[in-house]
Amino acid sequence: MAAPVLRWLCPGRRWAFARTGGCSYHRRGVPTASTSSGKRGQSSVAQQSLITAQEPRKGDREWAAVVGLEIHAQISSNSKLFSGSQVHFAAPPNSLVSFFDASLPGTLPVLNRRCVEAAVMTGLALDCRINKKSLFDRKHYFYADLPAGYQITQQRLPIAVDGSLAYSVCVGKKRGQAVARTVRVRQIQLEQDSGKSLHDDLRSQTLVDLNRAGVGLLEVVLEPDMSCGEEAAAAVRELQLILQALGTSRAIMAEGQLRVDANISVHHPGEPLGVRTEVKNLNSARFLARAIDYEIQRQISELENGGEILNETRSFDYKLGCTMPMRDKEGKQDYRFMPEPNLPPLLLYDSASLPAGADPQQVINIDQIREQLPELPSVTREKLVQRYGMLPEHSFALLNEVGLLEFFQNVMKETRAEPKKVTSWVLNTFLGFLKQQNLAVSESPVTPSALAELLNLVERKAISSSAAKQVFEELWRSEGKTPAQIVAEKQLELMRDDEALEQLCRATMEAHPQVVMDLKKGNPRAINKLIGLVRKATLGRADPTAIKDVLERQLSG
């Protein structure tokens, strides 16, 4: 059977296949023999990199992909969900474990108020309906890092349901156009995290760290309204920003505070949904997008080659760029859900239903939490566009990097430069230096005040733009110096001697008669060549506009 080649027909909507003669073409364009056996649940593409898109022939059937997400966010709280143990990232193994976390007999759960408030606030921010009565359940399964043999969760009646998450996907050749999307939020539930198994392959043993056991989680279940990795990654990034703005979770994916499980299936439009697979524990938005797009291609390739899709759990190998089977879900696991006998129903109130004389410390008022909601990222971006006239994609970039928006706003407070120029410097020069050295905004050696002073020097034409780049590089290397000091030390001030500039221009024209001849013949690029030569002679201290004026005056004279 000829190898199928995937084509993405339009952003996030339709997938199609074209057939080629006996080989499948990979991203680097190297043809490899098609070795798919067509066996049930097996595919040669499972061990290969993503297939490159090719033009489908007329008559090829389209495919539609369906993607749903289960997102687990660690709640920002000083203690765990049902115990008083502290929560700290990278603490020594098993140093933050209470008797309840270790599931010793006779211990009982005590619900953490902060975690409940975080769940309500998150639900309100996602336009969910908050259930005034929710229930806790036991979900039974057996892992070494789950001492009790069950997890306390909210399977029957979660704390929040029926919400929505609005996000944007960048499209276009330069990805400069943001297209709005919305995904439904099925539910938000409170649950415990498990411990962590550390596999020592060298000694063929597994070690268990229970520091994470019992930490409060928000599980946000998104309906299967997405159809590609890019949409899923954009939705997760938006949720991450919302959680950070609310303060309900730090949501740092690199620290495991935000983990995503993706459910993926493919089908022909108009036909029933296909068998889904689940890709577990994705802790990077970039890897999430890659895993989903790979899995979509793998499933389509499998079906086109006569195989079947197994209802299974898979993991993503970011080094190989492919998903790998973990365990089969064909025999449905019985979690033996049962009501948690040690926790009564969780009751919440609004201002209308609040009991008279109720102790504020003993009840949670939904309306009071609603009044405390901060400004959400979507509102912030809209204000940035309106106030500074920036492009929507620039407002996304400012919010996507932790601390970058605050840095930008502090620069704006102290500079007379136009917002467009400040935006360019912050997103291109400043952010570029940060990424080169893998630094966070808070670790930058250049302060907002220093950048504002530098932009003010450019604004009042004390230095040129190219000289400003030199000053910025020196600021990055020499913490403690001001831009004015660096300009003085390096003698980077713009030339103020008009007579000296005219002499330099004349000497440059005399030294390069062929360039002058090209200019007189009507070559518009020739004057740029002359300007560059004069600026080089002045070590970048001459204003290009002033040079051009002098050159044009001398040529016409």
Side-chain angles (χ1 to χ4, degrees):
M1 179 178 286
V5 182
L6 182 66
R7 179 174 183 256
W8 193 9
L9 290 179
C10 65
R13 291 301 167 199
R14 291 286 185 267
W15 305 77
F17 263 78
R19 295 199 175 281
T20 59
C23 67
S24 56
Y25 290 89
H26 297 268
R27 180 161 289 176
R28 295 183 182 177
V30 181
T32 58
S34 177
T35 58
S36 176
S37 63
K39 292 182 181 179
R40 184 174 185 268
Q42 295 181 355
S43 170
S44 62
V45 250
Q47 306 298 328
Q48 298 169 356
S49 43
L50 293 174
I51 302 171
T52 305
Q54 300 289 326
E55 287 294 327
R57 291 204 305 248
K58 186 176 181 181
D60 287 321
R61 298 187 69 186
E62 291 183 351
W63 289 93
V66 177
V67 180
L69 301 178
E70 298 171 12
I71 304 166
H72 298 85
Q74 182 177 312
I75 299 171
S76 291
S77 173
N78 293 328
S79 56
K80 297 182 180 180
L81 183 57
F82 297 117
S83 79
S85 296
Q86 290 186 317
V87 178
H88 285 301
F89 178 70
N94 296 309
S95 61
L96 303 174
V97 185
S98 70
F99 291 154
F100 178 79
D101 303 330
S103 194
L104 296 185
T107 56
L108 294 173
V110 178
L111 183 58
N112 184 335
R113 178 190 178 95
R114 159 63 186 161
C115 293
V116 178
E117 292 174 337
V120 173
M121 182 172 283
T122 303
L124 292 172
L126 296 177
D127 293 325
C128 291
R129 173 169 55 84
I130 307 299
N131 286 323
K132 294 181 181 178
K133 178 182 178 180
S134 58
L135 304 173
F136 289 97
D137 306 281
R138 289 185 180 182
K139 177 183 179 181
H140 294 82
Y141 58 96
F142 300 98
Y143 286 143
D145 52 22
L146 191 71
Y150 63 84
Q151 175 194 43
I152 300 179
T153 182
Q154 291 188 305
Q155 188 262 346
R156 291 173 297 160
L157 192 56
I159 195 167
V161 294
D162 300 335
S164 64
L165 171 64
Y167 64 98
S168 296
V169 178
C170 293
V171 297
K173 291 184 179 180
K174 297 183 178 180
R175 309 190 64 75
Q177 181 183 358
V179 177
R181 297 271 195 273
T182 301
V183 58
R184 292 169 295 157
V185 178
R186 179 185 300 171
Q187 65 189 54
I188 299 174
Q189 61 196 49
L190 283 165
E191 62 183 27
Q192 294 172 297
D193 206 347
S194 62
K196 191 173 183 180
S197 295
L198 306 170
H199 305 291
D200 187 344
D201 294 331
L202 187 63
R203 300 179 182 178
S204 299
Q205 64 182 9
T206 296
L207 306 175
V208 176
D209 179 10
L210 294 180
N211 280 348
R212 202 176 67 184
V215 169
L217 292 180
L218 293 173
E219 180 175 354
V220 182
V221 182
L222 302 184
E223 296 282 11
D225 297 338
M226 296 157 286
S227 51
C228 67
E230 184 180 15
E231 288 187 356
V236 168
R237 288 192 194 99
E238 185 67 15
L239 179 61
Q240 183 181 32
L241 291 174
I242 290 172
L243 294 172
Q244 290 169 346
L246 297 173
T248 54
S249 174
R250 293 177 64 210
I252 301 174
M253 299 189 81
E255 295 183 5
Q257 294 173 0
L258 193 71
R259 306 189 297 274
V260 184
D261 301 337
N263 293 285
I264 306 148
S265 69
V266 299
H267 66 284
H268 293 297
E271 296 183 2
L273 299 181
V275 177
R276 67 181 173 87
T277 59
E278 182 179 28
V279 183
K280 297 282 286 186
N281 293 328
L282 296 159
N283 61 356
S284 155
R286 184 163 56 92
F287 293 159
L288 171 67
R290 288 176 59 194
I292 290 173
D293 287 340
Y294 174 85
E295 184 61 18
I296 291 170
Q297 295 189 25
R298 185 194 71 82
Q299 290 187 23
I300 296 176
S301 178
E302 188 69 50
L303 294 170
E304 288 282 324
N305 280 292
E308 295 181 43
I309 302 301
L310 294 179
N311 180 214
E312 62 184 351
T313 299
R314 301 176 71 90
S315 63
F316 179 66
D317 188 319
Y318 70 93
K319 293 180 180 178
L320 296 176
C322 65
T323 62
M324 314 288 285
M326 291 174 63
R327 56 182 180 270
D328 192 351
K329 283 188 170 185
E330 287 292 341
K332 187 175 180 181
Q333 186 170 358
D334 182 8
Y335 289 116
R336 294 180 297 126
F337 283 103
M338 61 170 281
E340 169 53 60
N342 296 321
L343 286 168
L346 173 59
L347 301 179
L348 306 175
Y349 301 90
D350 55 22
S351 298
S353 62
L354 190 67
D359 183 356
Q361 297 301 317
Q362 298 299 318
V363 297
I364 291 179
N365 188 333
I366 299 170
D367 291 331
Q368 188 176 16
I369 294 176
R370 194 191 310 273
E371 293 171 359
Q372 297 170 358
L373 283 175
E375 182 176 279
L376 296 180
S378 57
V379 178
T380 303
R381 286 193 292 264
E382 188 177 337
K383 287 184 176 179
L384 287 172
V385 172
Q386 291 177 351
R387 181 176 180 182
Y388 299 115
M390 66 174 60
L391 297 174
E393 56 267 28
H394 291 162
S395 68
F396 276 92
L398 286 175
L399 264 73
N400 284 345
E401 195 75 27
V402 176
L404 191 61
L405 175 60
E406 184 180 1
F407 186 96
F408 168 81
Q409 290 173 330
N410 288 335
V411 174
M412 286 299 304
K413 290 176 185 176
E414 300 184 45
T415 185
R416 294 187 295 274
E418 294 180 353
K420 185 177 180 181
K421 182 175 288 187
V422 178
T423 302
S424 176
W425 270 86
V426 170
L427 293 182
N428 296 328
T429 308
F430 176 72
L431 189 57
F433 272 72
L434 286 178
K435 290 186 174 181
Q436 282 177 11
Q437 303 192 20
N438 198 25
L439 295 176
V441 175
S442 59
E443 299 171 318
S444 166
V446 177
T447 65
S449 297
L451 181 55
E453 182 183 342
L454 176 59
L455 293 177
N456 286 336
L457 289 174
V458 177
E459 193 67 17
R460 63 172 184 260
K461 301 190 182 303
I463 58 174
S464 65
S465 296
S466 59
K469 297 287 177 64
Q470 297 179 50
V471 174
F472 186 87
E473 291 175 6
E474 190 64 27
L475 280 172
W476 198 270
R477 290 191 296 264
S478 308
E479 193 173 353
K481 291 184 179 180
T482 67
Q485 290 172 333
I486 295 171
V487 168
E489 290 174 6
K490 301 285 185 180
Q491 296 183 339
L492 296 173
E493 305 95 336
L494 279 177
M495 286 184 65
R496 300 296 182 188
D497 191 337
D498 294 339
E499 186 177 343
L501 181 60
E502 289 190 7
Q503 291 177 356
L504 270 173
C505 290
R506 189 175 295 108
T508 302
M509 291 169 65
E510 291 172 355
H512 299 85
Q514 185 58 49
V515 179
V516 175
M517 187 67 67
D518 291 342
L519 182 59
K520 289 181 177 180
K521 288 180 179 179
N523 183 355
R525 295 183 180 180
I527 195 165
N528 292 331
K529 173 74 171 175
L530 291 173
I531 292 172
L533 291 169
V534 175
R535 293 193 73 235
K536 184 177 180 180
T538 62
L539 302 177
R541 294 177 58 206
D543 181 16
T545 304
I547 296 173
K548 186 177 181 180
D549 290 342
V550 172
L551 289 171
E552 289 177 343
R553 191 166 57 249
Q554 291 180 349
L555 285 166
S556 61

